[in-house]
Amino acid sequence: DEIRTNPALWNELAFTGSYDTNMWALKVDTGELVWKYATNGGIASSPVVDTYNRLVIFGSEDYRIHALDTRTGRVSWTFTTKDRIRSTPRIEHNHVFFGSDDGKVYALNAINGRKIWEFDMAAPVRCRPFVTNDLIIVGCETGEIYGLSLSGQRKWNVRTKKSVLSGPVVDTKEGICYVGSSDGYMYALDANTGYNSWRFRTVGPIISSAVIHSGYVYFGSADGHIYAVNAQSGR
């Protein structure tokens, strides 16, 4: 069935999820099947490898986040939310951060899947959170973008006019967060305060997550164009 996830590569293995409900582990050089693991729903959440604990971690539309042994595909742990998980996890500080369609952002212990905290955003969270040394930045279906402390407390929030599916990306040297919205704008926000320094308009929703390189922000829009925008000025 359809594959909507980004593959993850680790130790000569490629992991990818499919709407056939399986997570597939293939040999990178030959494509040979090493193992596959069946969930009870389609997989739109991209797998992420926790190299420290040797786990591949991803969400499924079966409401659960799954952590599997990278070599064997055996379950290490699972965690159940109250709705589908389409958000790709972020692994930082030995924690797993992700959103769910139940409207919450979760922080789990990466070793055993135990819940550390949850934050209610009151709308489905489908983008991938970005995590710095101090903050988790994440958007949701109402267009709200939140900056949360590592303990799950709200520090700031900004509202765009439509849903945020684009994963925020932070230039940690400059302290600027770049995030697209379905309202057609790419926003440059101060990562610590949420202050909007500029926004760049396209003619379609921005679902693509940005890439920062050599002073430019690169991203795609549903208007059919790829843009390179000056990171400082927004031109």
Side-chain angles (χ1 to χ4, degrees), residues 36-82:
K36 68 176 180 175
Y37 167 86
T39 72
N40 292 316
I43 299 173
S45 165
S46 295
V48 178
V49 176
D50 178 351
T51 55
Y52 183 78
N53 296 305
R54 296 188 176 183
L55 299 174
V56 56
I57 300 174
F58 61 96
S60 168
E61 295 190 357
D62 66 4
Y63 299 15
R64 290 185 291 169
I65 192 158
H66 302 257
L68 313 179
D69 184 285
T70 54
R71 293 161 298 176
T72 65
R74 291 189 183 132
V75 180
S76 176
W77 55 259
T78 65
F79 178 85
T80 303
T81 69
K82 294 179 181 177

Side-chain angles (χ1 to χ4, degrees), residues 6 19 51 61 72 81 84 98 117 143 152 175 183 191-192 200 202 204:
N6 293 325
Y19 263 83
T51 55
E61 295 190 357
T72 65
T81 69
R84 297 174 294 187
F98 67 97
W117 54 257
D183 66 10
N192 293 313
F200 178 87
T202 72

Side-chain angles (χ1 to χ4, degrees), residues 204-224:
I206 300 175
I207 297 169
S208 155
S209 299
V211 172
I212 309 163
H213 182 71
S214 296
Y216 290 94
V217 183
Y218 299 90
F219 59 94
S221 168
D223 66 10

